[in-house]
Amino acid sequence: PMAAEAAAAAVNRGRGVGAAGGRQRALPPYEVFLREDHFIRGKGLTGAIAVHSARVMGAAVALHKQTTHLLSCVTFGSQRWSAADLARFPKQAEQELTRHLSESPEAEVVLHGSLLVAAPAQAGRRPAARYVALRKSYAMVYVELAAAGSSGTTAVCSPPRRTQSHQSVFLSHAHASVAMLIEAATDGGGTA
């Protein structure tokens, strides 16, 4: 997060964001925390981890290359992949994430960056843009499809879900329902 805040501050200074009367003023230290859930159904945890890794790294590279936002790094375990490393070696980063999650499914995967946001326009002035620090974590919810004639399903949450549904905003009723069912089915350790 510190790297993202430093990058945002440098960009804001370079663009004159926050300038008042020719003098720099300190910007309030805002930070946005997001969590993106990847709900994956299938017949094998290994394949689900590969899909999750591809989605995370694809989103990070797209944020870096296709938007005005700034990517600082993606972290998981003790590894830290910078934006430059992700842009040059996206497949290697994806493979490392897949390997890491296969060994430690409960590991947290976090994207650190800065969002370009517009401040509200004031009377007679254009809206000013500024960067706000971003910390986005990725969670995988894997539900194994039951075999024919079997009544049970397996759910694996990485990292484990613990009361997260009660601290979340959902984009649809269906998403909220599935999240609540998965949270109720798991034992707090990430498995049903």
Side-chain angles (χ1 to χ4, degrees):
M2 297 304 290
E5 291 171 8
V11 170
N12 286 337
R13 280 193 303 276
R15 293 185 179 197
V17 175
R23 304 175 87 174
Q24 283 289 337
R25 62 182 165 89
L27 296 174
Y30 294 111
E31 187 168 10
V32 176
F33 296 97
L34 300 173
R35 187 185 83 233
E36 182 173 318
D37 292 336
H38 295 159
F39 288 84
I40 303 168
R41 294 186 319 188
K43 292 194 180 223
L45 182 58
T46 303
I49 290 173
V51 168
H52 178 61
S53 298
R55 287 181 180 174
V56 169
M57 291 305 176
V61 170
L63 177 83
H64 178 64
K65 289 184 173 182
Q66 300 170 4
T67 71
T68 57
H69 309 302
L70 301 175
L71 172 66
S72 172
C73 65
V74 174
T75 60
F76 49 93
S78 61
Q79 296 194 36
R80 180 184 182 279
W81 284 75
S82 70
D85 291 339
L86 286 173
R88 282 195 310 253
F89 310 109
K91 283 297 180 194
Q92 289 87 340
E94 184 181 321
Q95 290 168 348
E96 277 299 305
L97 179 57
T98 300
R99 184 190 60 75
H100 183 75
L101 290 175
S102 295
E103 294 172 1
S104 307
E106 71 285 348
E108 184 176 30
V109 181
V110 181
L111 179 145
H112 301 275
S114 298
L115 296 174
L116 182 62
V117 296
Q122 296 178 5
R125 294 186 181 171
R126 294 186 341 205
R130 62 173 283 172
Y131 280 93
V132 176
L134 167 69
R135 183 180 187 278
K136 182 176 183 180
S137 66
Y138 292 89
M140 178 186 74
V141 178
Y142 166 66
V143 178
E144 186 169 321
L145 298 176
S150 173
S151 62
T153 60
T154 302
V156 177
C157 303
S158 171
R161 297 178 73 83
R162 295 183 181 98
T163 68
Q164 294 172 347
S165 295
H166 301 289
Q167 302 167 351
S168 302
V169 175
F170 297 99
L171 300 178
S172 71
H173 178 68
H175 182 196
S177 296
V178 170
M180 296 294 267
L181 286 172
I182 293 296
E183 193 167 305
T186 59
D187 59 6
T191 57

